[in-house]
Amino acid sequence: WGVGLGHSASWRKDTIRYSGAVGFAHIVSTFYFGDRPFDFKLDTGLLIQDLKFRVGDSDFFIGGKLVYVNPELVFDLDLDDLPVEREPTKVTDFGLALQADYDGRDNKMTPNRGQFVELVAWKHLEALGGDTDYWKVGLQAQTFHEMLDKKLVLGFHLDLDTVGGDPPSWGYPWVTMRGIPALRYQNENTAVLETELRWNILERWAAVGFVGVGATRGDLPIYQDESGIVAGGLGGRFLFRPQDSLWVGIDLAKGPEDYVLYIQVGQAW
């Protein structure tokens, strides 16, 4: 469970974009070390800030991000028999990032056409008040295409992440796809490629089908290299706010281990 307050806005005729949130979360989940599951509990405060500026009259944006978390992490099982260093009970993680975006989508909620590309370079430093020192770079790209007189919308999503230095357990990237639990497949490098097809059956009702594949690579003995991680599923959509192109709905996805049900607000990516 968690509580929080968030805000998103654009100013000066969409030349400045901002989003931010502050909150607190209690998380009960699982890390996987050497493909072995270990349950944990985590209580953390969270602060996120994201500010970017349009470059002239183009679809390019540049800006920065900030993230601050102060988790208290407790493992339910002993890790002494694994070649990993036990995380401190309390860790402060403070990071700053530079970002460059291209946003040619027709809308940000549920795009029908256009492309989006984002490159983000993070630096987490003890000098910024944290207890961690590492870097992370992420690249994501999305493209959307209308077909058959706008009855079909085909989308593709690419996500690449890499990390270096001495990140905490949650600092390593993981494969993020519908049907894959968070933190299930982690490593120093991850890659995901997904596609989704939306069929606009009626004016405000649609069906979606999606499938994706992920992979991980790295040199750490606590994580295994994985390839061919496949997940996919089906879902339904309702056009909740036509003026914003905001579709909502439910997806049922199947990954390598289990079925997962999702409530979606806007594009899943």
Side-chain angles (χ1 to χ4, degrees):
W1 62 266
V3 294
L5 179 66
H7 181 65
S8 178
S10 64
W11 302 305
R12 296 188 178 181
K13 299 181 179 180
D14 199 31
T15 59
I16 302 175
R17 293 182 179 180
Y18 166 82
S19 61
V22 60
F24 178 85
H26 173 73
I27 299 172
V28 179
S29 188
T30 305
F31 281 123
Y32 287 82
F33 295 124
D35 207 31
R36 294 176 58 185
F38 290 89
D39 296 333
F40 71 92
K41 297 178 182 178
L42 186 148
D43 293 298
T44 184
L46 173 67
L47 173 67
I48 300 174
Q49 299 291 293
D50 185 326
L51 182 66
K52 50 194 172 187
F53 302 86
R54 187 183 295 272
V55 179
D57 296 326
S58 72
D59 291 326
F60 290 93
F61 293 81
I62 57 173
K65 295 184 179 183
L66 176 153
V67 63
Y68 171 84
V69 294
N70 60 342
E72 179 175 325
L73 179 64
V74 177
F75 282 96
D76 289 343
L77 296 178
D78 197 348
L79 298 181
D80 291 340
D81 62 336
L82 285 181
V84 297
E85 183 178 350
R86 181 187 295 275
E87 295 288 351
T89 301
K90 293 184 179 180
V91 180
T92 299
D93 192 353
F94 193 106
L96 293 174
L98 295 176
Q99 61 178 329
D101 294 1
Y102 171 82
D103 192 353
R105 299 170 295 179
D106 61 331
N107 72 87
K108 295 187 295 182
M109 296 296 186
T110 314
N112 301 297
R113 59 186 180 277
Q115 289 74 44
F116 175 76
V117 181
E118 181 178 67
L119 177 64
V120 182
W122 286 95
K123 184 61 177 177
H124 297 250
L125 284 171
E126 296 179 6
L128 299 176
D131 299 316
T132 60
D133 196 340
Y134 65 101
W135 57 264
K136 183 184 292 185
V137 176
L139 172 67
Q140 67 164 316
Q142 303 172 10
T143 181
F144 299 90
H145 307 272
E146 292 180 322
M147 302 181 297
L148 297 181
D149 196 25
K150 302 182 181 180
K151 284 292 185 180
L152 298 178
V153 177
L154 180 63
F156 294 93
H157 174 227
L158 174 68
D159 196 346
L160 305 174
D161 292 284
T162 184
V163 69
D166 188 22
S169 300
W170 61 85
Y172 289 94
W174 60 82
V175 172
T176 302
M177 286 192 297
R178 281 165 286 183
I180 305 293
L183 307 176
R184 176 61 184 93
Y185 298 101
Q186 284 185 273
N187 214 322
E188 295 173 299
N189 307 283
T190 62
V192 171
L193 178 62
E194 290 183 273
T195 183
E196 178 182 283
L197 181 65
R198 186 173 82 240
W199 176 23
N200 299 320
I201 303 172
L202 300 174
E203 184 177 357
R204 300 185 68 169
W205 293 94
V208 299
F210 51 90
V211 66
V213 61
T216 70
R217 291 290 185 273
D219 297 323
L220 295 178
I222 61 174
Y223 298 122
Q224 293 185 346
D225 290 352
E226 302 279 358
S227 60
I229 307 168
V230 178
L234 301 171
R237 295 291 185 272
F238 172 70
L239 184 54
F240 180 68
R241 286 179 59 87
Q243 64 270 33
D244 295 323
S245 188
L246 175 59
W247 293 77
V248 300
I250 296 176
D251 290 337
L252 178 63
K254 175 67 169 67
E257 285 97 7
D258 206 351
Y259 289 91
V260 188
L261 189 67
Y262 298 86
I263 298 175
Q264 300 290 358
V265 179
Q267 175 61 39
W269 303 327

